[in-house]
Amino acid sequence: MSSPILRLVAQRILLGLVLLLAVSVLIFAGTQILPGDVAQAILGQSATPEALANLREQLGLNDPAWLRYVHWLWGILHGDFGTAQSSGLDIATSISTRLKNTLFLAACAAIVAVPLAIVLGLIAVRYRNGFVDKLISGLALASTSFPEFFIGYVLIYFFAVKWQIFPSISTVDDSTPFLERLQAVVLPATALTLVVLAHMMRMTRAAILNVMQSAYIETAELKGLKAFDIIRKHAFPNAIAPVVNVVMLNLAYLIVGVVVVEVIFVYPGMGQYLVDHVAKRDVPVVQAVGLIFAAVYITLNIVADIAAIVANPRLRHPK
Amino acid sequence: MSNELDYLSRRVAAGKLSRRDFLGRAAALGVAATVANSLLSKAVRAAGPVKGGTLKAGLQGGESTNSLDPATFLSQVPFAFGKCWGETLVELAPGGGVEYLIAEEIGSSDDAKTWTMKIRKGVQFHNGKEVTPDDVVATLKRHSDEKSKSGALGVLKSIDTIKVDGGNVVVTLKDPNADMPYLMADYHLIIQPNGGMDKPDAGIGTGPYKITGNQPGVKHTAARFDHYWQPDKYGHADQVEIVVVNDPTARMAALQGGQVNMINRVEPKIVDLVKRLPGVTIRAASGRGFYPFNMFCDTAPFDNNDLRMALKLAMDREEMLTKILRGYGEVGNDMPVNKAYPLFAGDFEQRKFDPEKAAAAYKKSGHSGSILLRTSDVAFPGAVDAAQLYQQSAAKAGIKIEIKREPGDGYWTEVWNKQPFSLSYWGGRPTQDQMYSTAYLSTADWNDTRWKRLDFDKMVLAARGELDEAKRKKIYRDMGEVMRDEGGLIVPFFNQFVDATGKGVEGWVDNPAQELSNGHALIECWLQA
């Protein structure tokens, strides 16, 4: 089994790298067409022409675009993201703290959301079209239909303002002890869970129901197996590929799409960091964050693909 | 009756009576709650500040791009944090005028060109070094250097030479300027060891708090500096903390939930709701900030004064004030200054909405067709609504306004000061001279109304060099009048700074200069147990 699988995996990884390179060109080109420039944005409304000219010179904004792209790519290949133009801080250092925070929040949300979504999906299938199924689907759809900021505000109103159980401000830093950190992310993680839950749950349900149409399920039913065992032992393993796919998509969302939740709960993650620097036209940071986000997406998609291959005997043992 | 209230208020200050009981008692005696509250805060202030605790602020206006280099300060959070750890030569006093900090005294020659600043002795930096005149000179040199990217560069452009003379720093100007001490209150001009030439973002200053944590865009913390030179006045809490909360709803929630003690920028539309919350106090201060509609005086059709006048008369200022700011401000009078400025003469007739006169002026101008007004959410809070409200009132005078809503991104680079009719904001300046010089001199970089009049320039320079206050006031009055009747500026209102504090925050002083009591709230307030 090893050689075809390994070849497939290697292929995917290579493809991922090519894709990443293409994305890097897009990101760089995209940041070049933003209106205004970083010097103006840094100095703001109170910029004098002299100060602007000085800053442009100092930031090397006068070089041609392709040269700056090559420099940038060369730096990244050596693990050097450069320094932020607006604050002069090393980007890699700033990002590592932020990325850690984002990953922590995403992990907390995922640990709750993924098993919950799958179990709820299984239950919904077991009682399909019955009251329980409709209740689960209804609640999940409702929670996903509300915009994130609304869910966030509702959580803040009850848990932070009214009952004062959890903080509404989730600022953490490297020195925050683990338990405090956990307490800080309860509300944002809950908000995120509510946002991604429905999608995963519905996809799990749909994928399993799809399998449930198969002839061998009927055989299992005729054998007299319990409904839940049929789902768990016969249907679910065959529905893993699409479920993993949607789970990965949502994990990616938890990492790159949480800007709104981070802003509301004042959580120092990547989203907030990116927004600040886009507003300041701080191109190196925007590029670095964009590239990391792209890498996250591509990696998780590769993982999903590989999981699908591994889970499918027909792909595992090609004729 | 007032004796009883005085007595009771002192008991509250001493912690022997609850605030609620006091207010109840005051109400029983028929005293309005506002009066009772002011009585109370007076008593609390008289009882003296309470030391200790951690004072936390949740503020809008911080980004992860912020640096500790005072030259780069731009938004609210660096400004407020800067006041915690750093000090300038002088400060703007709440009642106008200046308060001396690092400078003990500032005196000028008769022609207002040579200024001598006596530097206070015995003031220590956080690194233990004493402030010397050399540090001051280096600071001023760094910010006034042509190559500097300091936000104070424009203000300091008029400086010719800076040198040390014993315990003094002597500054000579290219042109006379009676307002020189006010220039030194610019918040960028924090005095740093060797002027910050070596390490501008080291965050070493002479302020009441020493930096203990600095995470731009997230959180800034500082602890009391033991060798601060005026410990009775500033630095009552043991620690201060600024959490950056850019989302207005989250900011309000943090104050209500008790996670922070004060917030800035309460949105005008929710102020009346916030006032009803128990434990929350609204701190609104009238200031010098205003939200102008700028017309380019040198670009058609706005190069015609009849048309400009028509557009001014077509503005319903009262309606704007009530609907956009919910009354948290005062109506403007088409000039960039108001009574919050020293030397402001208040005897101008208030311009009123007059559709008939506006229509007549519009007809006289000979212009027809619609007029394009550009606006954006970022111009000021409620700017898009303000433009629409204006469109409606102008329609009553038969003037058709076409609104173009521009993206917030790039508004300040592509629209403001580039397009002939747009909305903007100004935070005001400490003196009339600075306000006029920044935006209404022919040569000003930010002449956002293209107001280019040599006779007006002469008046600005004459007032600047005039040391006789009465004469100066007269010139400023004349300038205001010309601006009001011929300028390219429509000023619907001057906005108030609306901040809020939570339970137990005492010692707040309203200051028209800037929000958060000119940034002093954290060092000036204390927590009443």
Side-chain angles (χ1 to χ4, degrees), chain A residues 189-226:
Chain A
T190 310
L192 284 176
T193 302
L194 290 174
V195 169
V196 297
L197 190 66
H199 188 203
M200 287 192 283
M201 193 285 278
R202 301 274 301 174
M203 279 303 283
T204 308
R205 181 179 176 278
I208 299 174
L209 275 183
N210 201 22
V211 177
M212 295 293 274
Q213 321 274 325
S214 315
Y216 65 89
I217 298 290
E218 210 173 328
T219 314
E221 273 169 5
L222 291 173
K223 273 198 303 191
L225 286 183
K226 277 189 211 147

Side-chain angles (χ1 to χ4, degrees), chain B residues 506-521:
Chain B
E506 298 293 349
W508 185 285
V509 181
D510 285 341
N511 190 322
Q514 270 299 335
E515 62 176 31
L516 287 172
S517 189
N518 195 23
H520 286 150

Side-chain angles (χ1 to χ4, degrees), chain A residues 36 40 42-43 45-47 49 54-55 86-87 98 153 156 161 167-169 173 264 266 268 276-277 280-281, chain B residues 63-65 74 146-147 149 215-216 218 244-245 247 249-250 253-254 256-257 259 409 413-414 416 425 445-446:
Chain A
Q40 176 80 49
I42 291 173
L43 297 174
Q45 194 208 9
S46 55
N54 293 337
L55 195 59
S86 48
S87 60
R98 298 275 186 160
Y153 288 155
I156 287 181
V161 173
S168 69
I169 291 185
D173 53 51
I264 290 174
V266 199
D276 283 353
H277 288 83
K280 288 271 179 184
R281 301 279 174 278
Chain B
E63 300 92 22
S64 31
T65 46
L74 184 66
E146 282 287 302
K147 290 203 179 62
K149 49 178 184 176
Q215 302 170 61
V218 183
V244 181
V245 191
D247 182 73
T249 313
Q256 267 181 278
Q259 285 192 283
D409 238 26
T413 50
E414 311 294 322
W416 173 75
Y425 77 90
D445 291 326
W446 308 315

Side-chain angles (χ1 to χ4, degrees), chain A residues 64-149:
Chain A
W66 66 269
L67 190 64
R68 278 182 283 140
Y69 173 72
V70 172
H71 280 313
W72 173 62
L73 201 64
W74 190 248
I76 287 175
L77 290 176
H78 292 76
D80 174 19
F81 282 103
T83 52
Q85 290 174 334
S86 48
S87 60
L89 296 174
D90 182 52
I91 296 176
T93 324
S94 314
I95 283 189
S96 71
T97 318
R98 298 275 186 160
L99 191 59
K100 220 162 51 191
N101 289 344
T102 290
L103 290 179
F104 182 74
L105 176 59
C108 288
I111 286 170
V112 180
V114 174
L116 193 63
I118 290 174
V119 168
L120 285 177
L122 293 176
I123 294 175
V125 172
R126 165 68 183 81
Y127 300 104
R128 58 185 169 278
N129 300 327
F131 172 71
V132 176
D133 179 21
K134 286 192 175 129
L135 183 74
I136 293 175
S137 294
L139 286 180
L141 278 180
S143 84
T144 207
S145 312
F146 287 121
E148 286 155 53
F149 71 85

Side-chain angles (χ1 to χ4, degrees), chain B residues 374-396:
Chain B
R374 290 166 207 266
T375 182
S376 167
D377 285 325
V378 300
F380 58 82
V384 177
D385 300 336
Q388 280 163 354
L389 215 53
Y390 180 52
Q391 186 181 39
Q392 285 170 19
S393 70
K396 286 181 196 155

